[in-house]
Amino acid sequence: MFKTLTALGAALTLPLAPLLVFAGALAAPPPAHTLPAACAGMPAVTSAAAELDAAQLQRATIIHQAALDAGVGPSGAIVGIAAAMQESALGAHPATYLVNEDGDVGLFQQRSLVGWYADGATQADNVDILSDDRYQARTFFLGHTTLGGWHIPGLVDIDGWQRLTITQAAQKVQVSAYPDAYADHEPLARALISTLSGAPPGSAICGNLDPAFDCPPTGMDSEHGQTPDALRVMRCVHATWPQIRSLLGLRPGDPRDHGTGRAVDVMIPNHDSTAGVALGAEVADWARTNAGPLGVTYIIWREHLWSAARAAEGWRRCGQSASCYTGPDDSAAHRDHVHISVHGNQGGTVLTTNGQAVLPLEQYRLTARFGDVGERWKTAHTGLDFAAPTGTPIRAITDGIITHAATQGPYGLFTVLTAPDGTTSYYAHQSSITVTTGQRVTAGTVIGTVGATGNVTGAHLHLEIRIGGIPTDPQTWLRQQGLTP
């Protein structure tokens, strides 16, 4: 049985304490992927090589071949190249082969301390081993099992990496202090892999890490703050309909999905013309047809609403069978744009192995809600509070792995559960914790008890839901799972 290290400090990161998880045998590599069709609107790949020197291009070739050898295909190679660009500028950064204060070195800045990424007798031996770019590339994809039996995960060990954005997949392996930085290198990585894979000039890999919905970045500022599902919608609309030039996303302070990066407004050019109406209808129907892989919860277009929860009813008229606006304002009536709301980071996958989520307490009273403001919070309340007597059992709301179980400042006794799709749930102010870090649990497992530890005024459970690291309204999220808190 391998023992797995699931959280490691890596290049250009803040040091993290290792998180030890017992797991089964090393995961088998996912099947290799084929190249999907080219995306419209992606710049020609011929400019990619001009940005790199010969040594960088050689290292990109090494990473590409290592990805193919590992069975993760071109999509995995994109993740690897984006990671290596961020960590070492594909080996061109002057500090690449100088050991930093955490002991990190090389193409992917892997840790050279004894017992980590190499099996030398001394750190100097490990530095020599890690100077081999091929070794580091293989390790990024396959991980490394130490002489002591600990397995440091590579990309193949990340469950469902194909459903993550490239930035998320790279971060799962590297655990960087700058988790969003990999996105800066995504266009170059895609262009390079198109070239290395022999794609025709001017094409790019557009399909998904889960092939048909992994479209290239739009280059729009409106991508900032969007959840993975919303990014997927924005990018694939932009790739499929290049005539659409405006996509609106995050609106801080918005009490609905735009406030948490879980909505996209697809602005339709000449919306009141026959061609504009037809274009909007095409986008709306595409979002409805692909609601599962896109993670769509509902769509509004021209005073009609479609929701995944009531899909059998089809499109419902606003003001009659749907609670949305119908009136003279084109924007409010969604005549000038298609509104698409999403789960956040679901993309058609279930959150639990048995397909069920549960409420965290059986008996409770809701007190503070998401977005509440007041002197108790620095800005606004980021969760939902379930008031209950001290000692009331707290249940895991999904299946997943306990990724934190300890005291943490104002949260008091605090547990974090990471679901299979990456959604994290926070359970704060407990009087006791009955699980340990690294433990795998199922929905309904008792993980602790209600208390009043940390920054509180009385006994309660503070529940947070974070999607892509961004707090979202737990009450809305629970309702999307068919639960009414």
Side-chain angles (χ1 to χ4, degrees), residues 182-253:
Y182 302 108
D184 295 339
H185 310 291
E186 184 176 337
L188 175 61
R190 288 181 180 279
L192 278 170
I193 294 306
S194 280
T195 301
L196 292 170
S197 299
S203 68
I205 293 176
C206 177
N208 207 343
L209 290 176
D210 190 17
F213 297 95
D214 182 28
C215 300
T218 65
M220 298 179 181
D221 290 341
S222 55
E223 283 199 4
H224 178 71
Q226 291 290 81
T227 58
D229 285 346
L231 277 176
R232 186 179 297 112
V233 169
M234 293 180 84
R235 291 176 177 186
C236 288
V237 166
H238 183 260
T240 307
W241 294 281
Q243 68 269 41
I244 296 174
R245 302 296 181 87
S246 180
L247 299 168
L248 306 182
L250 181 69
R251 289 203 297 265

Side-chain angles (χ1 to χ4, degrees), residues 135-231:
Y135 180 94
Q136 288 223 0
R138 287 194 302 271
T139 301
F140 176 83
F141 295 114
L142 298 176
H144 177 68
T145 300
T146 71
L147 294 176
W150 301 111
H151 184 70
I152 302 171
L155 187 65
V156 301
D157 301 305
I158 308 302
D159 288 341
W161 68 266
Q162 301 94 329
R163 295 189 297 273
L164 303 178
T165 65
I166 286 167
T167 291
Q168 288 178 313
Q171 172 65 359
K172 289 284 187 181
V173 179
Q174 297 296 99
V175 193
S176 170
Y178 306 97
D180 298 326
Y182 302 108
D184 295 339
H185 310 291
E186 184 176 337
L188 175 61
R190 288 181 180 279
L192 278 170
I193 294 306
S194 280
T195 301
L196 292 170
S197 299
S203 68
I205 293 176
C206 177
N208 207 343
L209 290 176
D210 190 17
F213 297 95
D214 182 28
C215 300
T218 65
M220 298 179 181
D221 290 341
S222 55
E223 283 199 4
H224 178 71
Q226 291 290 81
T227 58
D229 285 346
L231 277 176

Side-chain angles (χ1 to χ4, degrees), residues 8-12 87 96 99-100 102-113 116-118 123 126-127 129-144 152-154 173-174:
L8 302 172
L12 310 179
E87 303 296 7
T96 299
V99 180
N100 71 14
D102 295 325
D104 302 332
V105 69
L107 182 62
F108 286 93
Q109 290 288 284
Q110 292 165 357
R111 192 146 296 174
S112 63
L113 302 179
W116 286 73
Y117 282 91
Q123 185 175 5
N126 288 340
V127 171
I129 293 168
L130 293 171
S131 67
D132 183 343
D133 295 329
R134 288 176 174 80
Y135 180 94
Q136 288 223 0
R138 287 194 302 271
T139 301
F140 176 83
F141 295 114
L142 298 176
H144 177 68
I152 302 171
V173 179
Q174 297 296 99

